[in-house]
Amino acid sequence: MNLSHLGTPIGPMIRVHGGFANRMYRLDTDQGSFAVKELNLVDRRWTYHAEDVFRFERAAFAAGIPMPEPISASHDTLVHRWVEGEKVPEAPASAAYAFEIGEILARIHALDVEWTDVSVKDPTSRDWPELAERAAATGQPWADELASHVETFLAIAHFVDTCERPGPVVLTHKDIQPWNLLARAGRPVLLDWELSGMLDLSGELGSTALSLAKGPGFDNIESTIFRSVLDGYVAGGGTLPPSGPSWFVFMIGGWLGHTRFNILRCLAGAEANTGPDLTQSHESARNGIRGLPDMFGRLPELEALLV
């Protein structure tokens, strides 16, 4: 990385552990403190459009969206001004916090930003039987669980490819989850914008509202918190799309891809130089293998949150 534009370092760059896909470092210089993200280019699951995302981030920051200031972006490195704040736990948020997230989403969707990416999404992978066989052959600790859910994962892939998405499509963050949020004096700060792009509005609202309304599983979903996100979105000038399974297909599809990504890293069996550590990939693979079938089976319950 060439980070000379950030000033003279006053100490070594420090690894900040915990990233699910990339690697993060803190760099302190005579010009301030910076978050330096090294993007995983080896097994990336999507095309990163650095110029589009940086333009979107700069517009959002200029519009007053609470977020770290974007400093620079290249095909392999992102730099933001370091922001202090409290980590947001994976647990139901407060109603006020959830409401403000909804308002922020409405403000983001109202931005007028050019987006040049016109890529077409590839069909969802259907290689789950082969992955289960490889997991068994290599002695993965979650191999039996994966084998027992192969048909469910194939059904999930079919659902992701065939679910009707009514629109509208908006330019948005696409990944507002507790681990991509901070709290400063109880108010939100949005991190990690590199997944930004065009998305069906229902998918963005459903993913965001559900992530703020539940804990690690799906046994405790607070419907009032889910509704607070939607109420904030309307208060911020947004209009809610029609109810239906499309509200949850983006979250399911994203988790499906994330699970497969980590399974492949585990099957490789070697510690990679970029991306999450191998132990973290095993944890993410196991969580997806257990959690995705549960979420998919609860779709009727999730749709009831929209009523």
Side-chain angles (χ1 to χ4, degrees), residues 43-75:
D43 46 7
R44 183 185 290 169
R45 292 172 292 130
W46 67 92
T47 301
Y48 176 63
H49 300 275
E51 292 184 4
D52 280 343
V53 173
F54 189 67
R55 187 187 312 112
F56 184 39
E57 284 195 77
R58 294 293 292 177
F61 183 79
I65 300 299
M67 58 183 289
E69 180 186 2
I71 302 298
S72 63
S74 68
H75 77 287

Side-chain angles (χ1 to χ4, degrees), residues 116-198:
T116 62
D117 174 33
V118 292
S119 59
V120 178
K121 184 180 181 298
D122 294 329
T124 305
S125 297
R126 307 295 176 96
D127 57 352
W128 294 97
E130 292 82 358
L131 294 178
E133 290 179 4
R134 291 175 60 191
T138 54
Q140 302 299 327
W142 32 261
D144 289 345
E145 290 180 275
L146 177 58
S148 69
H149 289 305
V150 163
E151 292 303 320
T152 303
F153 278 101
L154 290 172
I156 293 172
H158 178 74
F159 167 70
V160 171
D161 281 343
T162 61
C163 180
E164 182 179 355
R165 296 158 172 82
V169 174
V170 294
L171 177 58
T172 190
H173 182 285
K174 292 179 67 176
D175 198 23
I176 300 180
Q177 307 286 329
W179 47 85
N180 288 335
L181 292 166
L182 293 176
R184 298 186 68 183
R187 303 188 67 182
V189 178
L190 273 61
L191 311 175
D192 295 347
W193 289 65
E194 61 264 22
L195 284 183
S196 296
M198 306 302 295

Side-chain angles (χ1 to χ4, degrees), residues 52-287:
D52 280 343
V53 173
F54 189 67
R55 187 187 312 112
F56 184 39
E57 284 195 77
R58 294 293 292 177
F61 183 79
I65 300 299
M67 58 183 289
E69 180 186 2
I71 302 298
S72 63
S74 68
H75 77 287
D76 60 357
T77 306
L78 306 178
V79 179
H80 293 80
R81 187 76 60 179
W82 186 269
V83 172
E84 295 290 349
E86 298 177 7
K87 290 184 177 181
V88 175
E90 193 175 356
S94 70
Y97 190 96
F99 186 92
E100 188 166 0
I101 287 291
E103 286 186 313
I104 291 169
L105 266 181
R107 291 167 58 195
I108 291 173
H109 297 168
L111 295 173
D112 184 14
V113 180
E114 180 187 9
W115 189 260
T116 62
D117 174 33
V118 292
S119 59
V120 178
K121 184 180 181 298
D122 294 329
T124 305
S125 297
R126 307 295 176 96
D127 57 352
W128 294 97
E130 292 82 358
L131 294 178
E133 290 179 4
R134 291 175 60 191
T138 54
Q140 302 299 327
W142 32 261
D144 289 345
E145 290 180 275
L146 177 58
S148 69
H149 289 305
V150 163
E151 292 303 320
T152 303
F153 278 101
L154 290 172
I156 293 172
H158 178 74
F159 167 70
V160 171
D161 281 343
T162 61
C163 180
E164 182 179 355
R165 296 158 172 82
V169 174
V170 294
L171 177 58
T172 190
H173 182 285
K174 292 179 67 176
D175 198 23
I176 300 180
Q177 307 286 329
W179 47 85
N180 288 335
L181 292 166
L182 293 176
R184 298 186 68 183
R187 303 188 67 182
V189 178
L190 273 61
L191 311 175
D192 295 347
W193 289 65
E194 61 264 22
L195 284 183
S196 296
M198 306 302 295
L199 179 63
D200 188 88
L201 174 59
S202 60
E204 175 76 322
L205 290 177
S207 173
T208 302
L210 183 58
S211 71
L212 293 178
K214 71 178 190 68
F218 298 93
D219 291 329
N220 180 28
I221 301 174
E222 295 193 13
S223 59
T224 55
I225 304 304
F226 188 98
R227 294 300 313 183
S228 291
V229 175
L230 307 189
D231 291 343
Y233 190 75
V234 173
T239 301
L240 300 181
S243 300
S246 66
W247 282 68
F248 307 103
V249 67
F250 174 69
M251 188 174 190
I252 291 175
W255 198 5
L256 186 70
H258 181 68
T259 300
R260 182 176 179 274
F261 159 78
N262 282 288
I263 286 174
L264 289 172
R265 287 179 73 89
C266 294
L267 291 175
E271 195 71 60
N273 293 326
T274 60
D277 297 330
L278 189 57
T279 54
Q280 188 171 359
S281 284
H282 273 290
E283 181 181 357
S284 294
R286 183 180 292 107
N287 288 342

Side-chain angles (χ1 to χ4, degrees), residues 15 23 25 38-40 42 265 270-277:
R15 171 91 183 269
R23 295 197 176 183
Y25 302 85
E38 178 188 26
L39 297 176
N40 177 10
V42 177
R265 287 179 73 89
E271 195 71 60
N273 293 326
T274 60
D277 297 330

